[in-house]
């Protein structure tokens, strides 16, 4: 996960922003409890969204309480009181995806960076083993994604859809696991696929200049159309956002609905415009 899935706080109600922070801080606390205090360093907005979506599917308000912040003991933060299962799954996704990101970085890096990644890998491996034991389906989905991503990027005919498919399929499988009905499974699969596709592609366009300069893999480097690369990538990304939101509208949930809609309609679009340096269209 890369931290692109975040709220647009300017248009959140004060109550909603406090609820969002309570889930974020609750996830931070859970990661420290289940793995180690250092695992909090990989806390991401993406996995906060995942936890919030799981809580909304459950439909039961977890309640809130004030406690001292584990990172800054002189400050008090709001935490959700319940919802341990959702936080635990989001914690597992954080450590599993981070481990395979380390593996990918070792493969792509050279020199001192490669050495640093190799040095921290055993720590992430320890966390990974616990997450794998508790949530094997998360490990299976992410490890399969990592394997398929490597195959796609080494394929000389790799194009944008092929490159984005492993990440999209990974989130499709993870979200569909939470479905309680066939129709809900179809909706969550559509949401997961398009969110995963958007995350992969926004990260690719974010790294476009760096990859172009250093000769790294980037699916947008193969684009040879007449449109400007930013205009083209904006259209590609908007397609995924559109399909993602249309699927979300079919879910019958009320808890945190305003916050999740803020993320899907405003947060993702704002991050996209920020990365593309584009005026609002």
């Amino acid at each position: 996960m890369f931290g692109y899935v975040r709220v647009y706080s300017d248009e959140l109600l004060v109550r909603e922003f406090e609820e969002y922070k309570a889930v974020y801080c609750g996830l931070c606390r859970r990661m420290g409890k289940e793995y180690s205090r250092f695992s909090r360093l990989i806390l991401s907005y993406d996995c906060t969204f995942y936890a919030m979506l799981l809580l909304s599917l459950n439909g039961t308000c977890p309640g809130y309480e004030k406690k001292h912040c584990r990172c800054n003991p002189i400050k008090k933060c709001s935490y959700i009181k319940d919802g341990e299962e959702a936080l635990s799954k989001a914690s597992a996704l954080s450590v599993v995806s981070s481990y395979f990101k380390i593996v990918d970085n070792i493969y792509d890096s050279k020199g001192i960076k490669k050495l640093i990644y190799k040095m921290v890998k055993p720590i992430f491996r320890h966390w990974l083993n616990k997450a794998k034991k508790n949530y094997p389906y998360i490990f299976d989905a992410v490890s399969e994604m990592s394997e398929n991503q490597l195959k796609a990027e080494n394929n000389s005919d790799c194009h944008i859809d092929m490159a984005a498919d492993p990440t999209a399929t990974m989130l499709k499988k993870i979200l569909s696991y939470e479905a309680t009905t066939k129709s809900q499974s179809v909706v969550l699969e559509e949401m997961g696929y398009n969110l995963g596709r958007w995350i992969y592609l926004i990260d690719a366009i974010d790294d476009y200049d760096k990859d172009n300069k250093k000769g790294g893999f980037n699916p947008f480097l193969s684009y040879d159309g007449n449109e400007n690369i930013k205009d083209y990538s904006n259209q590609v990304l908007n397609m995924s956002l559109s399909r993602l939101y249309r699927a979300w509208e079919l879910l019958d949930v009320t808890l945190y609905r305003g916050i999740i809609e803020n993320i899907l309609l405003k947060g993702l679009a704002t991050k996209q415009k920020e990365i593309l340096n584009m005026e609002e269209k």
Side-chain angles (χ1 to χ4, degrees):
M1 294 301 184
F2 306 96
Y4 295 118
V5 185
R6 55 180 66 192
V7 295
Y8 184 63
S9 57
D10 289 358
E11 294 195 12
L12 275 181
L13 299 174
V14 174
R15 169 184 57 80
E16 290 176 329
F17 190 53
E18 289 300 314
E19 290 173 341
Y20 179 77
K21 289 194 296 183
V23 175
Y24 181 86
C25 293
L27 179 57
C28 177
R29 193 181 189 94
R30 174 58 56 178
M31 290 181 68
K33 183 177 181 179
E34 292 198 1
Y35 299 98
S36 83
R37 67 184 66 182
F38 300 109
S39 70
R40 296 188 178 112
L41 295 173
I42 60 173
L43 176 65
S44 73
Y45 293 110
D46 297 345
C47 287
T48 302
F49 171 79
Y50 176 52
M52 185 159 275
L53 180 60
L54 297 185
L55 290 166
S56 72
L57 290 172
N58 178 271
T60 303
C61 182
Y64 308 94
E65 59 185 348
K66 286 276 189 179
K67 288 186 178 182
H68 287 285
C69 175
R70 291 301 175 90
C71 298
N72 183 5
I74 65 173
K75 183 178 74 171
K76 277 195 170 184
C77 299
S78 293
Y79 296 88
I80 57 174
K81 294 169 64 175
D82 299 312
E84 286 84 0
E85 184 179 9
L87 296 179
S88 184
K89 288 178 179 179
S91 299
L93 181 57
S94 295
V95 300
V96 173
S97 57
S98 295
Y99 172 81
F100 283 102
K101 180 63 175 173
I102 291 290
V103 172
D104 185 58
N105 288 343
I106 291 174
Y107 179 81
D108 291 337
S109 302
K110 297 179 181 179
I112 188 66
K113 284 188 176 181
K114 191 182 192 79
L115 179 61
I116 292 172
Y117 289 132
K118 284 186 174 181
M119 289 174 63
V120 301
K121 182 181 175 182
I123 300 173
F124 284 79
R125 181 75 191 185
H126 175 69
W127 299 341
L128 175 82
N129 290 335
K130 184 173 182 180
K132 179 181 178 180
K133 180 179 178 181
N134 293 335
Y135 302 103
Y137 73 94
I138 292 179
F139 170 82
D140 291 342
V142 180
S143 61
E144 183 180 356
M145 176 274 294
S146 181
E147 181 180 344
N148 290 338
Q149 193 69 60
L150 186 60
K151 291 179 181 178
E153 293 181 3
N154 287 327
N155 189 327
S156 59
D157 296 325
C158 184
H159 48 77
I160 288 175
D161 291 332
M162 183 186 296
D165 185 72
T167 303
T169 301
M170 178 266 288
L171 274 185
K172 171 184 174 180
K173 290 181 177 179
I174 290 176
L175 290 194
S176 66
Y177 190 87
E178 306 301 325
T180 56
T181 65
K182 178 62 177 177
S183 59
Q184 191 180 68
S185 177
V186 173
V187 172
L188 289 174
E189 285 181 354
E190 179 75 358
M191 281 189 66
Y193 190 89
N194 285 286
L195 179 59
R197 187 175 188 272
W198 183 87
I199 289 174
Y200 178 85
L201 294 177
I202 195 68
D203 182 62
I205 201 65
D206 197 13
D207 291 341
Y208 180 84
D209 291 335
K210 181 188 71 176
D211 292 333
N212 190 27
K213 181 179 179 181
K214 295 184 177 181
F217 174 83
N218 192 302
F220 286 106
L221 290 175
S222 62
Y223 173 67
D224 58 357
N226 295 323
E227 284 184 281
N228 177 281
I229 185 62
K230 289 185 177 181
D231 289 332
Y232 172 71
S233 59
N234 191 51
Q235 293 175 31
V236 172
L237 291 162
N238 283 343
M239 182 177 68
S240 290
L241 289 184
S242 175
R243 293 177 66 91
L244 168 61
Y245 186 73
R246 287 205 301 267
W248 158 254
E249 286 186 300
L250 299 175
L251 280 183
D252 184 23
V253 299
T254 55
L255 182 64
Y256 300 138
R257 190 170 190 94
I259 303 173
I260 294 175
E261 289 195 345
N262 172 281
I263 294 171
L264 299 182
L265 284 175
K266 291 290 185 178
L268 302 185
T270 300
K271 191 65 181 176
Q272 181 174 312
K273 285 182 287 186
E274 175 188 321
I275 289 172
L276 293 175
N277 296 314
M278 298 183 70
E279 298 295 330
E280 185 169 357
K281 293 188 176 182

